[in-house]
């Protein structure tokens, strides 16, 4: 688990780049400054870890580009102690950012290979989410609802109904909506039946799939 001065220097540069791209949330930037992203990637990609790019990980998935992680995290306006549901644990990088921001993170992963790998890896670098779950993200996690925020880290063709029901009133859901290209969408729950919708331009994600694998 090698994290050197050189890696820290590359992270500082990445944070500067994210600020130039419009990320202003200090907690988001600080988390990205601290987390050794190179450890989340296959060692053959280590040299690219601090470029603002997405990279392949196991099970045909990707680790999102840092800007996307920062952008989604910033939209959530995370406060210390917030209970957050993440759909799509993947490499665990987004989960780590939220944990470092002080959130209690419940994260669901449908790919068993990734679930096992990330469950073992995160504690090794001192990241302890509230719970990692192997399951179907479309169903959410009713036993722990309601959540202050829900973040979906894969492109969804529609907003899964159970997730809307599991968001607390006043809570925020950030979801990339669409088939081939996704529009980053934020829903704020106003009351039992009403949601306020905001859209933030186009992003690219791997698809959100149903059921476990």
């Amino acid at each position: 688990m090698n994290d050197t001065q050189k890696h820290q220097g590359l992270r500082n540069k990445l944070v500067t780049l994210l600020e130039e791209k419009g990320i202003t949330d200090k907690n988001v930037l600080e988390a990205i400054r601290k987390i050794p992203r190179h450890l989340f990637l296959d060692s053959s990609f280590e040299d690219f870890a601090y470029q603002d790019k997405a990279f392949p990980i196991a099970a045909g998935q990707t680790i999102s580009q840092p800007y996307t992680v920062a952008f989604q995290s910033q939209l959530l306006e995370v406060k210390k102690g917030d209970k957050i549901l993440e759909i799509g644990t993947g490499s665990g990088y987004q989960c780590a950012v939220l944990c470092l921001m002080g959130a209690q993170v419940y994260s669901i992963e449908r790919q068993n290979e990734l679930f096992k790998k990330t469950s073992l890896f995160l504690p090794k670098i001192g990241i302890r989410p509230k719970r990692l779950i192997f399951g179907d993200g479309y169903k959410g996690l009713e036993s722990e609802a309601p959540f202050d925020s829900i973040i979906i880290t894969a492109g969804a063709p529609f907003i899964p109904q159970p997730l809307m029901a599991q968001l607390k009133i006043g809570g925020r859901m950030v979801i990339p909506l669409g088939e081939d290209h996704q529009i980053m969408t934020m829903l704020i729950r106003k009351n039992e039946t009403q949601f306020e919708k905001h859209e933030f331009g186009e992003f690219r994600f791997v698809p959100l799939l149903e059921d476990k694998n």
Side-chain angles (χ1 to χ4, degrees), residues 15-181:
V15 165
T16 303
L17 176 68
L18 294 177
E19 287 179 309
E20 285 166 5
K21 285 186 162 187
I23 302 298
T24 54
D25 187 319
K26 292 286 179 261
N27 293 333
V28 173
L29 294 167
E30 219 30 61
I32 285 172
R33 197 187 299 279
K34 284 183 182 149
I35 296 167
R37 187 172 187 256
H38 61 282
L39 299 179
F40 289 77
L41 298 177
D42 191 303
S43 57
S44 56
F45 290 117
E46 191 184 317
D47 290 349
F48 305 101
Y50 298 108
Q51 293 180 12
D52 192 20
K53 290 196 175 107
F55 280 98
I57 54 171
Q61 302 298 298
T62 57
I63 177 171
S64 291
Q65 76 178 87
Y67 174 71
T68 303
V69 171
F71 191 84
Q72 284 195 285
S73 303
Q74 178 165 286
L75 286 180
L76 291 179
E77 296 189 358
V78 179
K79 292 183 289 301
K80 211 170 179 52
D82 273 2
K83 195 171 172 182
I84 298 182
L85 176 63
E86 178 190 33
I87 307 300
T89 316
S91 69
Y93 183 70
Q94 173 72 74
C95 179
V97 168
L98 296 172
C99 287
L100 243 61
M101 290 174 73
Q104 298 181 44
V105 184
Y106 296 77
S107 188
I108 302 178
E109 175 53 56
R110 66 177 289 279
Q111 299 280 359
N112 203 16
E113 178 190 355
L114 272 179
F115 168 73
K116 286 178 175 164
K117 197 174 171 182
T118 303
S119 300
L120 290 171
F121 169 67
L122 287 178
K124 285 184 185 161
I125 59 164
I127 301 290
R128 290 185 175 77
K130 200 80 176 142
R131 266 180 76 192
L132 292 179
I133 300 111
F134 172 55
D136 179 356
Y138 270 83
K139 295 193 174 89
L141 191 62
E142 203 178 344
S143 60
E144 296 292 346
F147 293 95
D148 293 299
S149 299
I150 299 177
I151 178 171
I152 293 93
T153 61
F158 58 88
I159 301 165
Q161 207 57 47
L163 299 185
M164 291 175 80
Q166 291 170 31
L167 190 63
K168 81 170 199 190
I169 290 169
R172 295 172 166 234
M173 182 190 299
V174 175
I175 180 167
L177 273 182
E179 299 274 4
D180 297 332
H181 293 271

Side-chain angles (χ1 to χ4, degrees), residues 4-17:
T4 63
Q5 286 299 118
K6 178 189 161 198
H7 291 126
Q8 186 58 66
L10 291 168
R11 284 203 288 282
N12 291 342
K13 275 190 182 152
L14 175 60
V15 165
T16 303
L17 176 68

